[in-house]
Amino acid sequence: MRKKLGLLEERIGYHFDEFHLLKNAMTHSSYVNEKHLPKYECNERLEFLGDAVLEIVSSDFLFHEHTEMPEGQLTKLRAAMVCEKSLAYCAKQIDLGEYLLLGKGEDATGGRKRDSVTSDALEALIGAVYLDGGFANAKEFIHKFVLNDMENKKLFYDSKTILQEIVQAKYSGSMTYHLLGEEGPDHNKSFKVSVFIGKKEYGIGCGRTKKAAEQDAAYKTILMLREMDKE
């Protein structure tokens, strides 16, 4: 496991002095439960800390990036930037799921690619970097892997607004979201939603909430429309 996590260190460009912090950040609660380890050995405490560090760094970034934006808009923008879907997208860029210690059941049911798992792990990793290397290193990590490439990130986390603007400018039909179905227990629901422009169906998205599924569907619709424009 140490060798595998060493590859993660190479990937993120940060090497831990306290290696146990990295292992802790990659330890999911399902693994701890399966191995009958103490609850505190999972990554939830580091996730709690990383979430707080991420909030202050992203707030500082937005405050200086948008010097005239009012508080309400800053709050909404920050919430979109650091929501589960956005963080899972960032985690995917470094294949974070591949380095997780998961219980067999969680692993077998796709835990390595589950947004809730990978987004939490990214926050835990931020918490681990903060404890190991201090605020400056945590800030550098966040800017490198969360606040980078903001133009494409905005397309991802603000897709509904962007799609609405595209439809209003280029299409005569109205845009609607249709719930195609939902599955799973109440604590782990999965929703599937499609986008219609007029009577034509475009992107289909999935998410743990209807809103997240709509955002995913809007994102996929924008990509489809861009491809159509190239033809």
Side-chain angles (χ1 to χ4, degrees):
M1 188 63 193
R2 186 179 184 94
K3 183 177 180 180
K4 189 173 184 179
L5 290 182
L7 295 176
L8 177 57
E9 287 184 309
E10 294 293 335
R11 186 143 201 173
I12 65 176
Y14 180 82
H15 293 268
F16 283 79
D17 291 327
E18 301 290 338
F19 192 79
H20 68 91
L21 289 170
L22 176 58
K23 183 179 179 182
N24 190 189
M26 294 298 101
T27 303
H28 189 254
S29 57
S30 62
Y31 181 87
V32 166
N33 293 336
E34 186 178 277
K35 299 295 183 180
H36 305 292
L37 299 171
K39 178 69 173 176
Y40 61 78
E41 290 194 19
C42 78
N43 63 8
E44 291 174 357
R45 282 170 51 83
L46 282 176
E47 175 202 338
F48 163 80
L49 182 60
D51 175 68
V53 177
L54 176 59
E55 182 168 323
I56 185 62
V57 173
S58 58
S59 298
D60 177 76
F61 172 81
L62 290 173
F63 183 85
H64 290 96
E65 188 76 8
H66 303 282
T67 55
E68 297 182 2
M69 184 177 286
E71 180 269 341
Q73 285 181 253
L74 286 170
T75 299
K76 289 180 180 179
L77 185 55
R78 183 184 63 196
M81 285 171 55
V82 299
C83 72
E84 179 183 289
K85 198 80 176 175
S86 297
L87 293 181
Y89 177 84
C90 297
K92 187 177 180 181
Q93 304 309 298
I94 55 175
D95 293 323
L96 195 59
E98 298 304 311
Y99 301 97
L100 291 172
L101 284 169
L102 300 176
K104 292 179 180 178
E106 184 70 29
D107 201 357
T109 55
R112 293 189 187 280
K113 295 182 178 180
R114 188 169 292 126
D115 287 353
S116 58
V117 174
T118 57
S119 62
D120 289 350
L122 183 64
E123 289 184 326
L125 183 55
I126 291 169
V129 172
Y130 170 74
L131 286 180
D132 188 74
F135 184 77
N137 280 298
K139 182 178 180 179
E140 181 180 347
F141 177 90
I142 292 167
H143 275 265
K144 186 175 181 180
F145 295 108
V146 180
L147 302 179
N148 65 322
D149 194 18
M150 288 308 298
E151 185 175 340
N152 285 328
K153 293 277 177 66
K154 188 177 190 301
L155 171 62
F156 182 79
Y157 64 69
D158 201 22
S159 293
K160 289 181 68 176
T161 302
I162 294 170
L163 180 59
Q164 184 70 49
E165 293 171 352
I166 293 172
V167 172
Q168 288 175 346
K170 294 185 176 182
Y171 295 85
S172 58
S174 61
M175 182 184 70
T176 55
Y177 293 92
H178 292 226
L179 179 63
L180 300 179
E182 58 183 86
E183 58 183 33
D186 288 341
H187 69 278
N188 194 26
K189 283 279 188 184
S190 177
F191 295 87
K192 183 179 286 187
V193 169
S194 65
V195 172
F196 276 77
I197 300 175
K199 295 183 178 180
K200 184 177 179 181
E201 185 180 53
Y202 286 83
I204 296 175
C206 298
R208 292 183 70 202
T209 64
K210 291 179 184 177
K211 185 177 180 180
E214 289 174 356
Q215 193 84 308
D216 190 35
Y219 177 68
K220 289 174 180 174
T221 299
I222 293 170
L223 297 183
M224 289 176 65
L225 296 177
R226 285 184 171 182
E227 286 301 314
M228 290 168 61
D229 286 342
K230 293 177 183 178
E231 295 175 359

